[in-house]
Amino acid sequence: MSDKAIKTPIPAGALGSSAMDEREVEAVANLIKQEHERMFRYREDAGEKGMSQCDYLETALREKTGASYALFLASGTGALSCALSSYEIGPGDEVIVPAYTYIATAAAVIDVGAVPVIAEIDDSLGMDPADFERKITPHTKAVILVHMQGVPARVDAIRAIAKKHNLIMIEDACQAIGAKYKGKYVGMDSDAWAWSTNFFKVITSGEGGVFFTNNADAFQRGVYQSDSGMAMWKTELPITKETKPFARAGLRGSEVSAAILRVQLDKLDGILDHTRHLKKVLLSSLNTPKNYQLQYVDDPEGDCGFSITFIAKDQATAKKMSELLAEEGLNIGSVYNAGFPDRHIYSHWDPIINKVSATPAGYPWKDPSYKGNVEYSVDMCPNTLDILQRALRITLNIRMTETNVKEFADAINKVDAMI
Ligand SMILES: *Cc1c(COP(=O)(O)O)cnc(C)c1O
């Protein structure tokens, strides 16, 4: 028998898509068989012949999360632009985003005409509250807090600063469906929040997103942002038309995706029970670390539990650990080097760092209503780059077992003792 710590094959797979089975197939087949003549979320006969898949899904989303309003959309990026529009954020405004997030968080800000400002992360791998406060200017209108890899970021600390400066707080929970903070689903105490249900996420509909808010006025504006024909559709959505309808984007969710996501939503708790259990087993199998510290998790109870990040004491140690772990059969480079160039790290967001605009007029940075002077550079957030180069991450999935995670812990313990 091999003396490597990893003896059992490591199953691969994204969470939601790995949980797919006949139930999703049936949901789509039934939709096509029964509804092929009206596979559209808004219906002339709404209320008479029953609700659309999107209507059913949104009802289930509200019931599950406790949110007052939910709108199913074509993407998570679209959900973020609805969240921003819902608070009238646009040209002239700055929005602070973390240096470690999918580029879409910053792109949604640009999409509504506002300017993204990039703040450092800390050992939570979420936004650093101190740097957030430093980045506030007279033009700042909002902050987007991102929960990467299902781990809740420092919600209370960020909220206290946002309140102090009268800023709108939006949470990007695209990677954190099902994550909680102090007992509530992440986002619930913020002005608006977003999920993505693209292929890589906790649950998936292939592509998709959800815009959530507890504010009735904001919801109306978010709905108008999502569909330029909104004022002309008959809908079950609580639209009072008090907000003057405006014509904007085309972000409607599809009935096929909604049918799939209804099934996936039913599976969410089962998926997270498994990943949370595996993470607990892994953590309890670790010896006291010498060369690393674990990622700081502000609310471990609310963590989705599918990622465990070891932050080495310095970059050389991270490199050494990574090499030794590979010899044990566990291939994990630093987060910085994973899938290089990683679209989740600001220094690779070339279109933003270089202020590349879709128009010769240089929108949104040269928009006449923008009076700020944000500057970007690849080395503007050195702490973020340092932390990500020291961060080694194990990602769990629903096909893994206790045996897998105990072997992961064996590998980490063995390597940590060797250095
Ligand atoms: C996936 C993701 C998005 C965007 O979602 P899409 O559905 O791909 O548009 C936004 N923010 C974060 C943090 C994400 O991981």
Side-chain angles (χ1 to χ4, degrees), residues 204-269:
T204 181
S205 51
E207 296 285 359
V210 186
F211 153 58
F212 290 98
T213 179
N214 290 322
N215 178 317
D217 288 340
F219 185 67
Q220 307 223 5
R221 280 189 293 272
V223 170
Y224 289 129
Q225 167 76 12
S226 76
D227 188 333
S228 56
M230 198 57 229
M232 278 95 71
W233 301 123
K234 281 199 179 134
T235 169
E236 303 277 297
L237 293 173
I239 293 294
T240 61
K241 313 236 154 114
E242 271 160 32
T243 302
K244 218 174 190 176
F246 55 86
R248 202 66 184 260
L251 301 168
R252 260 191 328 268
S254 107
E255 287 285 276
V256 179
S257 297
I260 296 171
L261 198 60
R262 287 178 68 194
V263 180
Q264 287 263 301
L265 190 63
D266 267 353
K267 296 181 176 177
L268 176 62
D269 290 346

Side-chain angles (χ1 to χ4, degrees), residues 75-77 80 101-102 104-105 146 148 172 174-175 196 198 201 208:
S75 71
T77 312
L80 286 168
T101 178
Y102 180 39
T105 314
V146 185
M148 292 297 280
D172 176 340
C174 288
Q175 297 193 5
S196 165
N198 84 20
K201 310 300 181 177

